[in-house]
Amino acid sequence: MTINFKNKKALIRVDFNVPLDAQFNVTDNTRILAALPTIKKVLEDGGSAILMSHLGRPKDGPTDKYSLKHLLPELNRVLGMQVKFVDDCISEESFRISSSIKDGEVLLLENLRFYKEEEKGDVEFAEKLAKHGDIYVNDAFGTAHRAHASTAIIAQFFPQNKTFGYCIEGELKSINKVLNDGKKPFTAIMGGAKVSDKIVILQQLIDKADNIIIGGGMAFTFVKAMGGNIGKSLVEDDRLQTALDILADAKKKKVNIYIPVDATIADNFSNEANIKMVDVKNIPEGWMGLDIGHETEKIFNEVVSNSNTILWNGPMGVFEMSNFESGTKSVAEAICVATKKGAFSLIGGGDSVAAINKYNLGNQVSYVSTGGGALLEYIEAGTLPGIDAMLNNS
Ligand code: AMP
């Protein structure tokens, strides 16, 4: 960020879409922490910050449950100051407060999605929001894949005065490092439930990666496509040909694809189920694969620990249940080992971030993305509406 904010009001789109418990306490403040460097830069330059965000998916206008006021105690705590709050993001009162805000002060606007216009990308709504600040700062990577009023449309009202914040800058830098600038070998580890969610990204990665590791529920579609018996494991029968096409394309482009060779299977989807470890191609009828097996762990670990660039998206099994977390945990640990040896590792996509945090390994990898869907869409499309809007009309 090269702009100096002295005597300026920075209107910062942050991603404060954080989880809250029943008493409205913030249970994971990662996203608030991710916005701090930008807010602090504005204040240290001698400017003021007007923060805007969404929280959850309110359907019918203002709802207490989705009020951003619940975040104030945590925001005050991490910033070490009293943040002002206004209960409507475009009310007269909100403009009165934002126009009289002093340098060094921070104002939080109420949930943008209390107005339907936000998600519709309404131009007039964006224009009203724009009145709050002199400089627009987009620092909400988690919503950069949406062409909403505050994330993309608003940029046109700041033709010369807009910038990405540190959070988005960091995200873009790390994705580009992985996809375009990384040291070889580059290994992409893909997991999670469905092949259908990850087809485009797999196709993109075949053009970039040296190794692609496939685990999680999506692996069983590949195993079945190759003629294996997968019992009642998760499968997408309409994607069997897609799986074969991906394998053929990888072979053509000399990309190594690693599919599990064994699996931890269970007789039902429960941590209390009977379990055993079998060859992945011979899962008995009535059983389902819920994790990769130990042989597979060894193979995957070997590949990961010899990589210099690593992208991880999606767990290797149902890591939420202790009996099926071994594969995910061992991949997470192998990534940390590789990182220690000098590899650059990017963890992105909701559940792999949840996994790395579950094992408290977030500080042993190079970068943990704040935007699951946004990261995946960026890899798929090469850009995002919220990024384009910033680059296009300056
Ligand atoms: P995704 O959002 O596509 O990354 O999927 C993440 C979810 O996939 C997690 O909740 C995992 O529990 C689930 N998952 C991973 N492996 C399996 C599996 N073998 N069978 C069923 N679900 C799985």
Side-chain angles (χ1 to χ4, degrees):
M1 240 194 306
T2 48
I3 292 186
N4 188 307
F5 292 90
K6 192 169 171 53
N7 303 132
K8 299 285 185 204
K9 293 183 192 30
L11 176 60
I12 313 177
R13 178 44 159 112
V14 290
D15 179 6
F16 281 175
N17 186 27
V18 294
L20 301 172
D21 66 16
Q23 284 74 45
F24 301 114
N25 298 305
V26 175
T27 55
D28 180 347
N29 67 359
T30 310
R31 286 179 163 164
I32 297 180
L33 296 181
L36 287 191
T38 297
I39 301 171
K40 285 188 173 155
K41 147 87 175 153
V42 169
L43 300 181
E44 278 160 18
D45 276 0
S48 55
I50 292 112
L51 310 179
M52 55 179 178
S53 178
H54 74 286
L55 173 65
R57 295 192 166 151
K59 289 210 168 61
D60 299 307
T63 324
D64 185 66
K65 184 178 166 194
Y66 295 116
S67 173
L68 280 166
K69 72 178 181 209
H70 301 307
L71 274 62
L72 282 171
E74 183 60 13
L75 190 55
N76 290 340
R77 190 184 72 78
V78 296
L79 264 176
M81 62 184 287
Q82 283 291 318
V83 172
K84 296 184 169 193
F85 177 73
V86 61
D87 64 359
D88 185 319
C89 61
I90 51 165
S91 62
E92 274 181 31
E93 166 86 345
S94 73
F95 291 112
R96 195 183 57 70
I97 299 177
S98 65
S99 63
S100 60
I101 197 166
K102 297 191 191 68
D103 294 338
E105 290 185 335
V106 179
L107 167 67
L108 175 65
L109 305 178
E110 182 56 289
N111 195 340
L112 296 162
R113 289 195 188 168
F114 285 171
Y115 284 88
K116 287 203 175 3
E117 290 85 345
E118 162 65 359
E119 288 183 82
K120 284 188 183 144
D122 185 87
V123 179
E124 278 173 35
F125 178 68
E127 190 172 12
K128 280 186 198 158
L129 287 174
K131 294 202 171 73
H132 282 298
D134 306 314
I135 299 170
Y136 170 62
V137 183
N138 188 355
D139 211 18
F141 185 70
T143 43
H145 56 320
R146 309 278 181 226
H148 292 172
S150 69
T151 59
I153 311 304
I154 193 170
Q156 65 192 278
F157 299 106
F158 296 89
Q160 304 302 331
N161 286 329
K162 58 181 182 291
T163 180
F164 292 125
Y166 287 130
C167 173
I168 288 203
E169 273 183 0
E171 295 274 357
L172 295 181
K173 220 163 112 184
S174 62
I175 307 171
N176 283 321
K177 187 156 182 180
V178 164
L179 294 184
N180 305 319
D181 269 341
K183 250 172 71 190
K184 302 247 155 201
F186 166 24
T187 299
I189 309 159
M190 303 299 292
K194 290 180 172 174
V195 181
S196 49
D197 291 343
K198 315 264 163 98
I199 293 170
V200 183
I201 195 166
L202 276 168
Q203 286 163 340
Q204 296 285 3
L205 287 171
I206 287 175
D207 290 327
K208 308 256 183 199
D210 303 293
N211 306 305
I212 298 179
I213 287 176
I214 297 179
M218 64 189 275
F220 296 101
T221 299
F222 284 85
V223 175
K224 183 168 179 183
M226 292 187 295
N229 296 315
I230 57 162
K232 59 173 180 179
S233 304
L234 203 64
V235 68
E236 287 169 278
D237 281 314
D238 57 340
R239 301 292 177 179
L240 296 174
Q241 188 55 47
T242 311
L244 291 177
D245 292 345
I246 288 172
L247 293 173
D249 194 29
K251 194 167 176 196
K252 204 169 86 195
K253 292 175 178 159
K254 299 196 168 48
V255 176
N256 304 310
I257 295 222
Y258 295 88
I259 310 277
V261 293
D262 60 349
T264 299
I265 61 170
D267 56 359
N268 71 70
F269 191 81
S270 154
N271 205 33
E272 278 69 52
N274 294 307
I275 58 174
K276 52 187 176 180
M277 209 170 288
V278 298
D279 173 347
V280 80
K281 296 187 296 303
N282 288 309
I283 299 177
E285 278 311 307
W287 290 70
M288 63 183 95
L290 295 183
D291 195 9
I292 56 173
H294 290 341
E295 256 329 289
T296 308
E297 281 181 19
K298 275 191 213 147
I299 299 168
F300 286 7
N301 287 357
E302 175 80 15
V303 177
V304 172
S305 36
N306 288 315
S307 302
N308 283 319
T309 302
I310 301 164
L311 169 70
W312 181 27
N313 170 265
M316 297 291 100
V318 185
F319 75 104
E320 298 92 335
M321 299 185 201
S322 60
N323 284 335
F324 312 110
E325 69 172 345
S326 174
T328 302
K329 196 170 175 199
S330 87
V331 156
E333 285 165 353
I335 295 172
C336 296
V337 169
T339 310
K340 212 169 184 176
K341 286 197 296 184
F344 183 83
S345 53
L346 167 60
I347 318 302
D351 276 327
S352 27
V353 174
I356 204 95
N357 289 336
K358 181 174 179 191
Y359 308 122
N360 285 323
L361 298 174
N363 57 359
Q364 294 182 47
V365 296
S366 310
Y367 199 89
V368 179
S369 175
T370 56
L375 177 84
L376 298 187
E377 279 196 40
Y378 187 84
I379 297 173
E380 284 175 11
T383 187
L384 297 172
I387 308 291
D388 265 355
M390 298 295 280
L391 302 175
N392 282 348
N393 48 45
S394 52

